């Protein structure tokens, strides 16, 4: 399989991991297990307990995820911070990365009563400064030669110029295609990062091989972020608020953990729990999987291809992945990246790496190149996208032009009805076995022979 290698290779070859250390490493609050179910009141009490331990603060910045991470519980936690801190919470900077800014309706839905005037918009092309540069030798070493360039540790200038005595980075730890496990300092260096840093970090992970990284907390991209935290960002008063959220056996969202602290250990604890609740190991590869993309969250293949990323290690050769995407209206949320996807399409790693060498526009948009690799099946299985039928939805011609198959939404949902399918295995009336996933952002699925702990 292209891009896949035994995960033990990572642990043997990478140098000792850097752990972000501030003056005093501190865990302010931790709770979680595969049996834990945290209520709103539990989250509020945990957040308040942590804030009380931190002592009096005078100016606070909160960096939560955006609406694409709605199930993370970050909106509620941000609201609890505002309730506790009052006017000492002066700024909220959603970690947009390359995503489009949140609408007023999304802010209200996700963050409740938190005042909308506190929210700032991150501009990844113009609002960043570079804290320092990770040497090319380090990038080459941890990526095992896949990439040989420097990496800039870029953040939104507000983090440095805002004179905050506390920066709360809030988010969910879950398997991730770019860095292995989402959140921790990714929320800072990608969520509030700049053009070069985002492009290169995505490309490093793609060139190294996402199937070597997904589900692992210790990866080349994470080591680069940790190097940057250790060497360039230890002066920033960042405290990480990490949740672990997944679907329980009843198919309902459940919050399994909350970990709050200022160093690597809170991420490590959350990542270990996430593997237990967000990762489903299968005894056999899947011949057909159906994935539903919630229309309130997934409007682009930039996000919707989580259906590809998170299932690829579970799919058999020549399997069919059906993606039900009623709100699909674009490929990239960023207009420039959307153009790159339309121009080059999802045609596999060797093809995309060659395109980067041959085309300056793609070489200057490495995040787009990485995404083209992430979204390809490498010719091993089939991907059928079924967009809705509104005037704004992507057309059959557009879907097929980038390398996907197209399916008629009405016809496909008549057979594979997301309202009646249950999570996991389903047996259709004619005996066909189908594996259904209602939210690909909440998990990782793999056939046991394709994943090595």
């Amino acid at each position: 399989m292209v891009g896949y290698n035994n995960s033990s290779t990572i642990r043997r070859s990478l140098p000792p991991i850097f752990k972000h250390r501030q003056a005093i490493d501190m865990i302010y609050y931790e709770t979680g297990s595969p049996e834990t179910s945290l209520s709103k009141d539990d989250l509020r009490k945990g957040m308040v307990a942590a804030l009380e331990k931190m002592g009096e603060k005078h100016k606070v910045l909160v960096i939560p995820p955006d609406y694409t991470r709605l199930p993370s519980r970050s909106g509620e936690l941000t609201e609890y911070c505002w309730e506790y801190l009052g006017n000492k919470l002066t700024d909220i900077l959603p970690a947009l990365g390359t995503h489009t800014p949140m609408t007023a309706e999304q802010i209200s839905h996700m963050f409740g009563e938190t005042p909308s005037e506190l929210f700032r918009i991150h501009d990844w092309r113009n609002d960043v400064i570079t804290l320092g540069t990770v040497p090319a030798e380090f990038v080459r070493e941890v990526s095992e030669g896949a990439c040989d360039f420097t990496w800039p540790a870029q953040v939104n200038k507000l983090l440095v110029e805002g004179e905050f005595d506390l920066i709360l980075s809030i988010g969910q730890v879950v398997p991730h295609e770019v860095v292995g496990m989402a959140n921790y300092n990714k929320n800072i260096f990608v969520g509030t990062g700049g053009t070069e840093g985002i492009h290169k970090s995505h490309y490093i992970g793609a060139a190294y091989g996402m199937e070597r990284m997904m589900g692992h907390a210790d990866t080349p991209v994470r080591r680069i972020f940790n190097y940057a935290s250790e060497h360039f960002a230890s002066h920033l008063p960042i405290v990480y608020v990490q949740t672990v959220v997944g679907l329980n056996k009843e198919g309902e969202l459940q919050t399994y953990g909350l970990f709050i602290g200022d160093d690597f250990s809170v991420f490590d604890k959350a990542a270990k729990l996430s593997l237990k609740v967000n990762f489903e190991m299968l005894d056999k590869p899947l011949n057909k999987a159906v994935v539903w993309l919630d229309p309130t969250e997934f409007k682009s293949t930039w996000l919707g291809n989580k259906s590809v990323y998170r299932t690829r290690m579970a799919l058999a050769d020549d399997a069919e992945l059906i993606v039900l995407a009623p709100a699909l209206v674009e490929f990239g949320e960023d207009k420039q990246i959307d153009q790159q996807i339309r121009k080059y399409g999802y045609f596999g790693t060797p093809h995309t790496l060659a395109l980067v060498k041959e085309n300056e526009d793609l070489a200057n948009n490495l995040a787009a190149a990485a995404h083209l690799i992430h979204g390809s099946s490498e010719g091993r299985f089939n991907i059928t996208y079924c967009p809705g039928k509104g005037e704004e939805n992507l057309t059959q011609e557009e879907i097929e032009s980038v390398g996907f198959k197209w399916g008629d939404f009405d016809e496909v949902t008549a057979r594979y009805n997301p309202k009646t399918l249950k999570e996991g295995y389903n047996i259709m009336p004619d005996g066909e076995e189908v594996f259904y996933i209602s939210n690909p952002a909440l998990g990782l699925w793999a056939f046991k022979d394709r994943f090595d702990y």
Side-chain angles (χ1 to χ4, degrees):
M1 186 190 310
V2 177
Y4 176 74
N5 207 330
N6 196 311
S7 63
S8 60
T9 302
I10 301 172
R11 289 191 284 273
R12 286 198 303 268
S13 60
L14 294 183
I17 194 165
F18 284 94
K19 297 182 180 181
H20 182 188
R21 297 190 180 279
Q22 299 187 6
I24 300 176
D25 294 340
M26 175 69 74
I27 294 180
Y28 295 101
Y29 186 84
E30 61 174 306
T31 185
S33 75
E35 292 73 43
T36 299
S37 180
L38 299 176
S39 65
K40 288 187 175 183
D41 192 49
D42 293 328
L43 291 176
R44 180 185 285 106
K45 288 179 179 177
M47 191 70 248
V48 170
L51 289 168
E52 288 178 344
K53 278 189 179 181
M54 294 176 209
E56 185 176 2
K57 303 298 178 183
H58 302 284
K59 190 178 183 186
V60 179
L61 166 67
V62 173
I63 304 175
D66 64 5
Y67 199 73
T68 63
R69 270 72 174 179
L70 179 64
S72 68
R73 308 298 295 272
S74 299
E76 296 156 80
L77 288 164
T78 300
E79 186 176 13
Y80 303 151
C81 290
W82 167 70
E83 291 173 353
Y84 180 87
L85 294 164
N87 59 15
K88 294 176 182 177
L89 199 174
T90 60
D91 301 90
I92 299 173
L93 180 70
L96 292 176
T98 62
H99 299 169
T100 54
M102 294 178 67
T103 65
E105 292 77 16
Q106 289 174 337
I107 290 174
S108 176
H109 182 212
M110 184 168 178
F111 296 97
E113 298 299 319
T114 309
S116 59
E117 60 267 24
L118 296 178
F119 287 82
R120 315 292 173 238
I121 296 176
H122 172 61
D123 182 344
W124 69 302
R125 288 195 168 92
N126 301 299
D127 288 349
V128 299
I129 60 175
T130 300
L131 301 177
T133 302
V134 178
E137 307 85 74
F138 186 82
V139 174
R140 182 172 60 251
E141 180 181 13
V142 298
S143 71
E144 299 180 6
C147 295
D148 187 12
F149 45 62
T150 60
W151 184 80
Q154 298 174 310
V155 298
N156 189 290
K157 59 187 178 182
L158 182 63
L159 277 70
V160 176
E161 299 174 357
E163 299 182 344
F164 300 102
D165 54 4
L166 176 62
I167 298 173
L168 289 169
S169 176
I170 303 177
Q172 177 188 358
V173 176
V174 67
H176 193 271
E177 61 280 356
V178 172
V179 66
M181 297 293 288
N183 230 267
Y184 185 48
N185 43 20
K186 174 187 178 291
N187 206 44
I188 303 298
F189 293 125
V190 174
T192 80
T195 305
E196 185 180 0
I198 292 176
H199 279 312
K200 285 184 173 180
S201 62
H202 282 62
Y203 191 72
I204 292 166
Y208 183 79
M210 65 178 151
E211 293 187 37
R212 303 173 69 181
M213 300 197 309
M214 287 189 296
H216 296 283
D218 184 6
T219 66
V221 179
R222 180 64 67 188
R223 285 172 180 263
I224 291 168
F225 292 164
N226 288 354
Y227 184 107
S229 291
E230 175 81 6
H231 289 81
F232 313 129
S234 60
H235 63 292
L236 296 176
I238 302 173
V239 171
Y240 296 94
V241 181
Q242 312 278 249
T243 64
V244 178
V245 180
L247 293 177
N248 59 26
K249 294 179 180 178
E250 288 70 43
E252 300 171 341
L253 280 176
Q254 182 169 326
T255 304
Y256 292 91
L258 175 64
F259 303 87
I260 304 174
D262 65 8
D263 77 333
F264 180 84
S265 64
V266 292
F267 168 70
D268 189 48
K269 291 173 184 286
K272 288 175 179 175
L273 177 58
S274 174
L275 275 183
K276 295 178 181 178
V277 302
N278 296 124
F279 187 14
E280 186 170 353
M281 189 72 75
L282 305 176
D283 291 328
K284 60 181 180 180
L286 303 175
N287 290 312
K288 179 166 287 186
V290 176
V291 180
W292 170 255
L293 298 183
D294 188 316
T296 65
E297 296 182 51
F298 298 98
K299 303 181 188 303
S300 66
T301 57
W302 182 262
L303 295 176
N305 277 352
K306 290 183 186 296
S307 57
V308 181
Y309 316 151
R310 304 294 177 81
T311 64
R312 63 185 305 113
M313 289 192 291
L315 293 168
D317 293 349
D318 298 320
E320 184 175 12
L321 172 64
I322 298 175
V323 185
L324 304 177
L328 190 67
V329 297
E330 57 193 353
F331 294 110
E333 297 200 329
D334 176 86
K335 298 306 177 187
Q336 185 173 335
I337 289 178
D338 184 88
Q339 292 172 3
Q340 300 293 317
I341 298 171
R342 291 173 183 272
K343 181 177 181 180
Y344 295 111
Y346 302 96
F347 296 106
T349 300
H351 180 78
T352 304
L353 293 179
L355 289 173
V356 170
K357 293 180 180 179
E358 298 166 0
N359 297 273
E360 185 178 358
D361 61 341
L362 193 58
N364 291 330
N365 288 274
L366 289 177
H371 174 74
L372 298 181
I373 292 173
H374 292 158
S376 168
S377 72
E378 306 290 352
R380 192 177 64 79
F381 55 91
N382 300 301
I383 303 169
T384 300
Y385 257 95
C386 307
K389 294 187 172 181
E391 291 184 2
E392 295 184 349
N393 285 113
L394 293 179
T395 65
Q396 178 176 354
E397 181 181 6
E398 289 173 309
I399 292 292
E400 293 176 345
S401 72
V402 298
F404 294 137
K405 293 184 176 182
W406 174 88
D408 183 285
F409 184 84
D410 292 339
E411 291 180 6
V412 175
T413 55
R415 176 170 178 80
Y416 306 111
N417 187 343
K419 294 181 180 179
T420 57
L421 291 174
K422 64 180 182 179
E423 293 289 334
Y425 292 103
N426 293 261
I427 302 298
M428 306 305 293
D430 61 359
E432 181 187 35
E433 184 176 71
V434 175
F435 194 90
Y436 176 66
I437 297 170
S438 66
N439 190 335
L442 293 175
L444 176 65
W445 294 261
F447 169 42
K448 62 182 181 180
D449 288 356
R450 288 207 180 104
F451 190 91
D452 182 5
Y453 283 101

